[in-house]
């Protein structure tokens, strides 16, 4: 089987020049490039990925870390990253951290040891900028969906606080007066959504919403609202805002089991607009993120930086969101003040 050395010998150039002609990373005359291609065609030579990697100093491999691949939100995010990677001739390795802090750090270190060209990182547990820097070293990183406070890294996030405000505005227009927020404490996106909702709610002279902790899973929402129902003799709220759709669905399930009607007794709003949000009965009112676009843009920013042999610019890109009204919200059926 032909080798890169044989191609170089027959083309009358050095193996390094052949590598440059293949990679496009260094200037090679059009005549030299044509001659190398003709020899490759004659020999039936197909450049091996490993040879290209040696020539370019890269692996053409991107890492993607997400916290829960079973959540269709992160599956859609991965599709966006993968599409950008394939378009640019890269492969992608996917890591699922399961919202586990230690596993997340392990994956960051593993990605560094595998010498990927860069990583798209959707943080699932509160990670410090120091932990991220120590784990990744000089590997280029773009944050997506979540910020890592103090990191100064390039990030692509949705307008989380703005989405929380949209949810609050919608419920206020429906004349709701008391609300519960189900949020995942310590996760930047969730904290921003809860804060945006609570700040707008209180700006209308309404009582500050009760905030309860969930874990971004269906069971987390189910358990969180169960705790509220068990500690109150009367249901004194008429609305629930969950900071992701899976928790919102768990809330709807538990409220229904307790004999409360959704939306007639309690209105519920989620966040994300995952695929199944439109398929539930009733359909889930939620704040929609364009998650595919988040992944696609983050990966393209990373690939551009890798191609320029630098780090992505330390810029925070905020993507707009929109409210999708379905069947889990309606006007208050009774006064719960």
């Amino acid at each position: 089987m032909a080798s890169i050395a044989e191609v170089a010998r027959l083309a009358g150039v050095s193996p390094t020049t052949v590598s440059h002609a293949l990679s496009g990373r260094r200037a090679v005359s059009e005549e030299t490039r044509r001659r190398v291609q003709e020899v490759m065609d004659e020999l039936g030579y197909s450049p091996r990925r490993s040879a290209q990697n040696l020539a370019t100093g890269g692996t053409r491999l991107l890492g993607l870390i997400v916290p829960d691949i079973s959540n269709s939100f992160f599956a859609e995010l991965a599709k966006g990253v993968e599409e950008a990677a394939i378009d640019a001739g890269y492969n992608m390795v996917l890591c699922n951290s399961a919202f586990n802090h230690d596993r997340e750090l392990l994956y960051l270190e593993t990605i560094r040891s595998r010498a990927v060209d860069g990583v798209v990182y959707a943080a699932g547990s509160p990670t410090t900028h120091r932990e991220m820097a120590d784990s990744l070293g000089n590997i280029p990183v773009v944050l997506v969906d979540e910020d890592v406070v103090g990191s100064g890294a390039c990030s692509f996030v949705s307008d989380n606080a703005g989405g929380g405000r949209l949810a609050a505005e919608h419920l206020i227009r429906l004349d709701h007066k008391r609300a519960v927020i189900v949020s995942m404490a310590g996760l930047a996106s969730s904290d921003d959504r809860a804060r945006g909702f609570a700040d707008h709610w209180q700006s209308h002279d309404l009582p500050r919403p009760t905030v309860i902790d969930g874990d971004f899973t269906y069971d987390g929402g189910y358990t969180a609202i169960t705790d509220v129902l068990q500690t109150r003799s009367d249901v004194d709220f008429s609305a629930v805002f969950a900071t992701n759709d899976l928790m919102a669905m768990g809330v709807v399930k538990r409220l229904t089991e307790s004999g409360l009607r959704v939306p007639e007794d309690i209105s519920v709003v989620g966040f994300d607009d995952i695929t199944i949000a439109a398929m539930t009965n009733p359909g889930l009112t939620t704040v929609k993120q364009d998650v595919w676009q988040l992944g696609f843009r983050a990966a393209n920013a990373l690939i551009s930086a890798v191609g320029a042999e630098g780090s992505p610019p330390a810029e925070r890109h905020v993507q707009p969101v929109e409210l999708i009204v379905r069947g889990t919200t309606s006007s208050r059926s009774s006064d719960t003040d």
Side-chain angles (χ1 to χ4, degrees):
M1 182 176 181
S3 66
I4 194 170
E6 188 174 357
V7 171
R9 181 178 60 80
L10 293 176
V13 297
S14 69
T16 300
T17 299
V18 173
S19 295
H20 291 167
L22 291 173
S23 70
R25 293 281 185 93
R26 296 290 186 273
V28 173
S29 71
E30 188 56 38
E31 172 62 25
T32 298
R33 193 182 307 278
R34 183 187 59 77
R35 190 161 70 251
V36 168
Q37 186 61 56
E38 287 177 351
V39 171
M40 287 171 54
D41 291 342
E42 290 173 6
L43 297 176
Y45 174 76
S46 178
R48 293 176 301 183
R49 179 70 68 189
S50 58
Q52 288 179 303
N53 293 345
L54 288 172
T56 63
T59 62
R60 307 294 290 181
L61 184 66
L62 302 181
L64 170 63
I65 301 176
V66 299
D68 182 12
I69 196 60
S70 67
N71 183 339
S72 63
F73 174 89
F74 294 109
E76 190 70 12
L77 180 74
K79 286 168 64 177
V81 172
E82 182 181 45
E83 187 74 17
I86 289 173
D87 286 351
Y90 282 75
N91 293 315
M92 183 187 81
V93 57
L94 175 64
C95 305
N96 177 49
S97 70
F99 285 104
N100 182 287
H101 184 71
D102 291 338
R103 186 184 297 185
E104 205 153 288
L105 293 179
L106 175 63
Y107 274 136
L108 287 170
E109 293 169 1
T110 300
I111 278 178
R112 179 181 182 179
S113 67
R114 290 289 298 274
V116 301
D117 289 339
V119 58
V120 178
Y121 179 30
S125 66
T127 302
T128 68
H129 66 92
R130 176 50 54 197
E131 287 174 326
M132 189 177 80
D134 289 346
S135 297
L136 283 177
N138 294 323
I139 299 292
V141 60
V142 172
L143 303 176
V144 64
D145 185 48
E146 293 292 339
D147 285 309
V148 175
V149 178
S151 68
C154 176
S155 65
F156 288 82
V157 297
S158 291
D159 184 4
N160 292 303
R165 288 193 296 272
L166 288 177
E169 286 174 1
H170 175 61
L171 292 169
I172 290 168
R173 282 196 302 268
L174 295 174
D175 200 31
H176 291 275
K177 297 293 191 294
R178 294 186 183 273
V180 168
I181 300 173
V182 182
S183 179
M184 185 173 179
L187 193 65
S189 63
S190 187
D191 288 343
D192 285 347
R193 295 166 194 175
R195 174 177 50 80
F197 183 98
D199 287 351
H200 190 76
W201 193 264
Q202 289 183 276
S203 73
H204 284 70
D205 295 324
L206 296 173
R208 184 167 185 81
T210 299
V211 181
I212 52 178
D213 196 28
D215 63 2
F216 260 36
T217 66
Y218 178 93
D219 289 342
Y222 184 99
T223 300
I225 205 66
T226 296
D227 293 342
V228 173
L229 295 174
Q230 289 177 344
T231 56
R232 302 187 183 197
S233 56
D234 295 314
V235 177
D236 61 352
F237 59 93
S238 64
V240 177
F241 171 53
T243 57
N244 86 338
D245 284 347
L246 287 181
M247 290 194 300
M249 292 173 187
V251 167
V252 171
K253 175 66 171 176
R254 184 65 185 93
L255 290 173
T256 303
E257 288 180 353
S258 71
L260 293 164
R261 298 168 300 165
V262 177
E264 293 84 357
D265 298 322
I266 308 287
S267 287
V268 179
V269 180
F271 203 111
D272 287 339
D273 195 31
I274 60 177
T275 303
I276 198 172
M279 302 176 185
T280 58
N281 187 21
L284 182 66
T285 295
T286 187
V287 178
K288 178 182 177 64
Q289 301 189 71
D290 190 344
V291 61
W292 186 93
Q293 192 66 225
L294 277 177
F296 187 79
R297 293 178 66 200
N300 272 327
L302 179 64
I303 290 165
S304 295
V306 169
E309 298 182 355
S311 294
E315 299 172 347
R316 188 173 188 264
H317 305 268
V318 180
Q319 192 162 280
V321 296
E322 63 175 311
L323 181 74
I324 305 296
V325 179
R326 298 193 180 100
T328 56
T329 52
S330 69
S331 298
R332 270 195 322 167
S333 59
S334 61
D335 194 329
T336 56
D337 287 347

